[in-house]
Amino acid sequence: SQQGEEDPQALSIQEGENATMNCSYKTSINNLQWYRQNSGRGLVHLILIRSNEREKHSGRLRVTLDTSKKSSSLLITASRAADTASYFCAWLGYGKLTFGQGTILTVHP
Amino acid sequence: EPEVTQTPSHQVTQMGQEVILRCVPISNHLYFYWYRQILGQKVEFLVSFYNNEISEKSEIFDDQFSVERPDGSNFTLKIRSTKLEDSAMYFCASSDQGSGNTIYFGEGSWLTVV
């Protein structure tokens, strides 16, 4: 199977706290991308990290990639209620993007 | 910012009917994709398309499915004879390179088969 896992499946935090989501995959990858999905809406691209990169930042987002462990993490700092959404990692390998199961993040005001 | 646009946003169809979902990828992009997400489940790859032909497809993408780029801007997904289990959100996506670059997704088309 080329599927991976994301954990936690659900995360509930207070506004201002940091949220960390983890992703594991099983294949060789070219890059790994993180997406956000509000309920019933489209997939919004957040950040891309290439296989030769270890860490990347974008605003309040920090992504790490450990290709030896086939894992990635997404950290959202100083969370806001508006960050409430599902977050998916997706790895690009063998010409297609494969999605993880996703983490449902709820940020309480 | 350029975006992928999809129509219709929601379609209800009778089982056995044909459905065409339409997408306008970002204008300078060369690689196109269809994904689907059954309610409450993860996003699944259906097919990728480059240079007017399918480059990769999943086992979900059987003979009931087809894709076409009928003109310079549209990219369509056709389901020939819909089944109840085809009910899902269908996402179109595009990128300017097949690998290494960001893949941008549209807002999706909800398909409900009754």
Side-chain angles (χ1 to χ4, degrees):
Chain A
S1 166
Q2 295 184 358
Q3 304 311 310
E5 296 180 357
E6 286 186 63
D7 74 88
Q9 291 186 348
L11 180 61
S12 183
I13 59 174
Q14 293 296 126
E15 210 166 28
E17 294 179 341
N18 295 341
T20 299
M21 290 160 267
N22 301 297
C23 167
S24 63
Y25 56 91
K26 297 184 178 180
T27 66
S28 297
I29 65 169
N30 182 287
N31 65 52
L32 189 141
Q33 306 184 38
W34 284 87
Y35 291 84
R36 166 197 166 117
Q37 184 182 36
N38 286 72
S39 182
R41 302 295 303 275
L43 295 158
V44 175
H45 184 265
L46 295 176
I47 195 166
L48 178 154
I49 186 166
R50 303 188 190 284
S51 60
N52 61 353
E53 297 176 310
R54 293 295 167 257
E55 187 171 314
K56 203 159 181 182
H57 297 253
S58 176
R60 293 185 295 114
L61 306 180
R62 173 178 166 253
V63 168
T64 63
L65 179 65
D66 186 337
T67 52
S68 66
K69 295 181 180 177
K70 291 186 164 57
S71 68
S72 175
S73 68
L74 171 68
L75 168 68
I76 303 174
T77 60
S79 63
R80 304 166 183 167
D83 294 330
T84 294
S86 293
Y87 291 82
F88 294 91
C89 69
W91 48 96
L92 185 67
Y94 304 109
K96 66 181 185 183
L97 201 62
T98 302
F99 281 79
Q101 297 281 355
T103 294
I104 300 171
L105 174 66
T106 304
V107 182
H108 300 280
Chain B
E1 183 175 302
E3 58 181 20
V4 176
T5 57
Q6 290 186 240
T7 54
S9 56
H10 190 195
Q11 182 163 352
V12 181
T13 190
Q14 295 277 340
M15 192 168 53
Q17 294 295 305
E18 176 182 283
V19 161
I20 297 176
L21 304 178
R22 291 182 168 81
C23 170
V24 179
I26 295 172
S27 63
N28 62 337
H29 285 186
L30 302 175
Y31 295 82
F32 315 115
Y33 311 86
W34 283 101
Y35 285 77
R36 80 172 186 190
Q37 184 181 32
I38 294 172
L39 187 63
Q41 298 187 23
K42 64 180 178 65
V43 180
E44 301 174 291
F45 170 77
L46 292 179
V47 66
S48 59
F49 190 88
Y50 170 70
N51 200 26
N52 284 319
E53 59 183 29
I54 291 173
S55 46
E56 189 89 27
K57 62 181 181 179
S58 72
E59 56 198 27
I60 302 169
F61 193 87
D62 61 20
D63 292 344
Q64 293 284 75
F65 292 88
S66 63
V67 289
E68 193 177 36
R69 188 154 164 81
D71 53 41
S73 59
N74 290 284
F75 180 52
T76 62
L77 174 69
K78 181 192 289 186
I79 309 174
R80 266 180 264 284
S81 177
T82 51
K83 299 174 280 204
L84 295 177
E85 54 265 37
D86 293 329
S87 295
M89 175 80 101
Y90 288 81
F91 292 107
C92 175
S94 70
S95 70
D96 59 358
Q97 291 184 30
S99 61
N101 275 30
T102 298
I103 296 177
Y104 294 93
F105 284 77
E107 282 287 316
S109 294
W110 270 113
L111 176 64
T112 303
V113 183
V114 297

